[in-house]
Amino acid sequence: MGEKIRLLGKTNKHSLRGLINYGIIVVFFAVITLLKSAGLLTNALEGQLIPICAYIIMALSLNLVVGISGELSLGHAGFMSVGAFSGIIVAGAMKYSGVNANAPRLIVAVIVGAIMAGIAGILIGIPVLRLRGDYLAIVTLAFGEIIKNILNCLYVGVDAKGLHFSVTDEAHMDMAANGTTLVRGPMGAVGVSKASTFIAGIILIILVLFVIQNMVNSRTGRAIMAIRDNRIAAEASGINVTKYKMIAFVSSAVMAGAAGVLYGLNYSTVAPKKFDFNTSILVLVFVVLGGIGNMTGSIIAAAVLTVLPELLRQFQDYRMLVYAIVLILVMIATNNEKIRALWKRVAKSFTRKKGGEVNE
Amino acid sequence: MLNYLISGISLGSVYAIIALGYTMVYGIAKMLNFAHGDVIMVGGYAAFCAGTYFGWPAPVAVVFSMCICTILGILIEKLAYKPLRNATSLAVLITAIGVSYFLQNMALIIWTSNPKAFPNMANFIPSIIVGDITISSTTIITIIASVIIMIALTLFTSKTKMGKAMRAVSEDKGAAQLMGINVNATISTTFAIGSGLAAIAGVLLCSAYPNLVPTTGSMPGIKAFTAAVLGGIGSIPGAMLGGILLGVLEKFAQAYISTQLSDAIVFAALIIVLIVKPSGLLGKKIQEKV
């Protein structure tokens, strides 16, 4: 932790690191566009592009909570689903009232989805942030499950009079005959008219990166990290702990909401169970494997691990098994003391050799 | 009303047994063992194989299942968690999730995703009928088993040498080691006991809900974890209390409010309890040192 703070002091190095992240995204975009125009992109991979963007945003936003703010959240998919469903409802309602162009629908949906997820973040953050450590983790898990459960009972339709909601069944919505049902309880959103594009995903990632990196390097970011490193010392230095924890948590929820909209408007049907505990865990795996607090790592881990099950297709039934084994081995290899020491020694012997050559 | 209460206590007892496994492992290794729910599932399948394929009688099948799970628990601990003894808790958490994926997918390959009809292993005693209430044999066995386990565990942790070692390790690992306690062996024993309990829980759970699939353990696992936190994680009576409260609450919510929203109500109850008592019902409040 101490090392990290010293690193932050060196502004040059840090802004360089930030630029690298933008660079990675731009290169990723350029490579994909090139591959696409050359016809080298398989259909399966092309279908993964928007989910990859959504998961990168999810990983970045969760990293803000886990890495920068130092709180373990196990319910991040809940915010994603709040964003996805509000985005789908807004986009569907706009389509119904005659807005057919995708760009304005997507933009409005992202804004509304992000705001709704932000509101959910505030509501959840008030009780959650009073707790510490593993208790906080279990409560975020509980909230994720509650959100999923409520969405499972939600029916939404739109007609000439506006939106209709019901928590029992479709008949209770009192909708006019010519209305359309947008969300159908456990079946989720059906007949979604897709509006997400790969370019929109890339723009969103860059926007999210911009917000996170500027926040981390600002007074707010330093306050958040001070709380992470030593809450009591930070409090004694006059930092308002609740306020700064809340800022990190709610901004993270807002970004997750935006990612949810991007993800939701990429499919024609989206069920609430898509955003369950396993999705939250998946995103947490991206963050931890990429390196806690390391945004570049999050981007790479999210992209690689979303594509990995696709690449492991040749193992067929065994692919998730292989995935699990790879996950365990990577965690052991990167966290075991002995193996780490071994790596350090190897790295040291390399640098020593190089140094020797220079001297000669 | 009484019917719901009884079925709630029965379900709660299963949660309690699972929660005991979570709480013991958490108390000692300070880790959230997310693979615990999947050990339950393995226990269920082991008993299923013993009962259906090998045709063994129910008590033998249960013992067989316990042996399998105990060995599995020790193996998981040795291979996956032990190398990470001094790593950050988040790294251990992700490894536990990896183990959970591994077990689920292994089960998927061995037993496929077709649900298996679990034979009722508790019907060697008759059901009790009092007035118009029927208490099924599964319910009776479940409640008896959980009471026995609870008493045995309490005696074990307070009276035996190993039990005392466990409490010492959970309080202060370093000091326990200095007092000559074999910390690694203690942690392994804890995993073995927790996994053995998971096997019993698996058999009881599947006797009550006889649909066995590779994901059988995940939702009860999460709920039992919630129960452990509700009662105060690390505390054995707390796990028992939390489990039973959760089970009763779930059954009442299903009966009187909404079947679909029952999970949401259970989790909301947890949140309310934690807001009022941030360390759970029976959890110890730890003073912060500055």
Side-chain angles (χ1 to χ4, degrees):
Chain A
M1 295 291 177
E3 218 169 341
K4 237 175 238 164
I5 292 173
R6 242 174 288 136
L7 256 179
L8 287 174
K10 297 176 190 167
T11 339
N12 287 334
K13 199 165 184 178
H14 206 79
S15 58
L16 184 71
R17 260 191 157 183
L19 283 178
I20 288 173
N21 289 340
Y22 297 122
I24 289 173
I25 297 300
V26 172
V27 169
F28 173 62
F29 177 66
V31 168
I32 294 292
T33 321
L34 267 177
L35 283 176
K36 220 178 190 173
S37 57
L40 287 170
L41 220 55
T42 59
N43 271 338
L45 198 62
E46 203 174 337
Q48 292 277 306
L49 288 178
I50 294 170
I52 288 176
C53 292
Y55 280 129
I56 289 178
I57 299 172
M58 285 298 288
L60 288 171
S61 67
L62 185 63
N63 208 342
L64 183 63
V65 173
V66 176
I68 309 299
S69 177
E71 309 283 8
L72 178 56
S73 165
L74 296 176
H76 217 53
F79 298 124
M80 196 183 182
S81 67
V82 169
F85 280 87
S86 19
I88 286 169
I89 292 166
V90 168
M94 283 174 79
K95 176 116 183 161
Y96 187 83
S97 45
V99 186
N100 277 320
N102 281 340
R105 278 172 53 222
L106 183 65
I107 292 169
V108 176
V110 166
I111 293 170
V112 173
I115 291 172
M116 293 304 284
I119 294 171
I122 294 172
L123 290 177
I124 294 170
I126 293 168
V128 161
L129 294 176
R130 288 170 40 123
L131 303 164
R132 307 236 168 85
D134 296 325
Y135 285 97
L136 189 141
I138 183 77
V139 170
T140 52
L141 190 165
F143 267 115
E145 291 297 311
I146 291 175
I147 292 174
K148 187 187 83 181
N149 241 280
I150 292 173
L151 285 176
N152 251 329
C153 307
L154 186 70
Y155 293 82
V156 182
V158 62
D159 65 6
K161 274 188 258 164
L163 287 171
H164 295 263
F165 295 90
S166 162
V167 285
T168 42
D169 55 49
E170 266 183 280
H172 277 82
M173 286 191 297
D174 297 326
M175 205 166 50
N178 61 349
T180 345
T181 311
L182 295 172
V183 178
R184 207 169 270 169
M187 283 161 70
V190 283
V192 181
S193 62
K194 300 177 190 176
S196 297
T197 55
F198 181 50
I199 295 183
I202 293 290
I203 293 171
L204 258 183
I205 296 177
I206 291 177
L207 207 67
V208 163
L209 262 179
F210 180 78
V211 172
I212 292 182
Q213 289 181 348
N214 281 292
M215 184 194 269
V216 170
N217 286 324
S218 71
R219 192 186 166 85
T220 315
R222 285 190 293 273
I224 293 169
M225 282 181 284
I227 297 167
R228 172 195 69 190
D229 292 340
N230 192 330
R231 194 184 54 85
I232 295 167
E235 212 167 4
S237 321
I239 293 174
N240 183 342
V241 172
T242 319
K243 179 183 150 197
Y244 283 105
K245 271 188 176 178
M246 202 69 178
I247 289 176
F249 195 76
V250 174
S251 356
S252 167
V254 166
M255 292 168 200
V261 178
L262 185 72
Y263 188 89
L265 288 177
N266 180 43
Y267 296 99
S268 49
T269 48
V270 183
K273 86 168 179 265
K274 184 76 203 69
F275 307 101
D276 62 358
F277 174 61
N278 288 325
T279 310
S280 303
I281 290 296
L282 188 74
V283 178
L284 186 65
V285 168
F286 297 157
V287 172
V288 176
L289 279 188
I292 297 160
N294 185 334
M295 296 300 160
T296 318
S298 285
I299 296 173
I300 295 170
V304 170
L305 287 180
T306 312
V307 183
L308 187 66
E310 212 52 55
L311 295 180
L312 291 176
R313 191 134 279 206
Q314 49 175 322
F315 293 103
Q316 289 167 352
D317 292 346
Y318 296 92
R319 67 181 174 147
M320 283 315 286
L321 199 68
V322 175
Y323 181 90
I325 295 171
V326 168
L327 186 62
I328 297 171
L329 289 181
V330 169
M331 287 323 291
I332 293 178
T334 49
N335 286 288
N336 184 279
E337 281 177 331
K338 278 179 196 154
I339 298 175
R340 270 177 105 161
L342 190 76
W343 278 14
K344 247 180 211 161
R345 224 180 303 146
V346 172
K348 218 177 203 175
S349 69
F350 263 106
T351 45
R352 207 178 293 148
K353 247 181 222 160
K354 255 189 203 161
E357 279 165 12
V358 172
N359 280 342
E360 278 164 20
Chain B
M1 169 79 185
L2 206 58
N3 250 337
Y4 295 129
L5 185 67
I6 291 166
S7 62
I9 291 176
S10 166
L11 178 67
S13 305
V14 178
Y15 285 157
I17 298 173
I18 309 172
L20 284 173
Y22 268 114
T23 243
M24 284 172 69
V25 167
Y26 183 87
I28 288 194
K30 292 282 172 292
M31 67 167 289
L32 304 178
N33 184 14
F34 270 113
H36 195 67
D38 300 290
V39 177
I40 298 168
M41 174 270 298
V42 173
Y45 272 113
F48 166 78
C49 286
T52 311
Y53 296 154
F54 311 150
W56 293 349
V60 184
V62 173
V63 172
F64 171 72
S65 158
M66 282 178 75
C67 290
I68 295 278
C69 283
T70 309
I71 294 168
L72 182 71
I74 295 174
L75 270 182
I76 292 173
E77 202 271 328
K78 281 268 181 297
L79 294 177
Y81 302 151
K82 204 177 165 195
L84 296 172
R85 197 53 46 86
N86 295 316
T88 57
S89 60
L90 207 53
V92 189
L93 178 79
I94 300 291
T95 312
I97 288 159
V99 173
S100 158
Y101 282 170
F102 178 82
L103 291 178
Q104 275 182 26
N105 286 291
M106 208 62 182
L108 195 67
I109 290 167
I110 299 175
W111 290 290
T112 71
S113 57
N114 293 334
K116 299 268 187 286
F118 193 83
N120 192 332
M121 295 209 164
N123 54 7
F124 54 86
I125 60 158
S127 315
I128 299 175
I129 301 169
V130 185
D132 51 354
I133 298 165
T134 315
I135 307 172
S136 74
S137 48
T138 317
T139 308
I140 301 169
I141 291 286
T142 306
I143 295 172
I144 293 176
S146 65
V147 170
I148 294 175
I149 290 170
M150 168 79 188
I151 295 170
L153 264 187
T154 314
L155 287 178
F156 177 75
T157 47
S158 57
K159 295 276 188 275
T160 63
K161 210 169 180 185
M162 193 33 125
K164 283 178 188 162
M166 278 164 129
R167 284 190 305 160
V169 172
S170 80
E171 216 151 86
D172 190 331
K173 218 187 267 178
Q177 199 153 22
L178 287 175
M179 296 299 130
I181 293 171
N182 186 342
V183 172
N184 274 328
T186 313
I187 294 179
S188 292
T189 316
T190 313
F191 267 90
I193 295 174
S195 307
L197 290 181
I200 300 177
V203 172
L204 293 172
L205 189 76
C206 295
S207 294
Y209 305 91
N211 239 357
L212 192 54
V213 287
T215 49
T216 291
S218 18
M219 204 54 202
I222 292 178
K223 288 220 190 101
F225 178 39
T226 310
V229 175
L230 187 71
I233 198 157
S235 142
I236 289 176
M240 210 68 197
L241 179 71
I244 289 174
L245 277 180
L246 205 77
V248 172
L249 187 69
E250 189 180 331
K251 283 290 171 194
F252 273 103
Q254 275 173 5
Y256 294 107
I257 305 174
S258 153
T259 325
Q260 280 174 315
L261 283 176
S262 68
D263 285 357
I265 292 164
V266 165
F267 287 120
L270 166 84
I271 294 164
I272 293 166
V273 168
L274 284 187
I275 290 170
V276 181
K277 279 206 80 173
S279 50
L281 291 172
L282 301 180
K284 271 178 255 158
K285 204 170 176 225
I286 299 158
Q287 278 285 301
E288 255 177 300
K289 287 181 201 131
V290 180

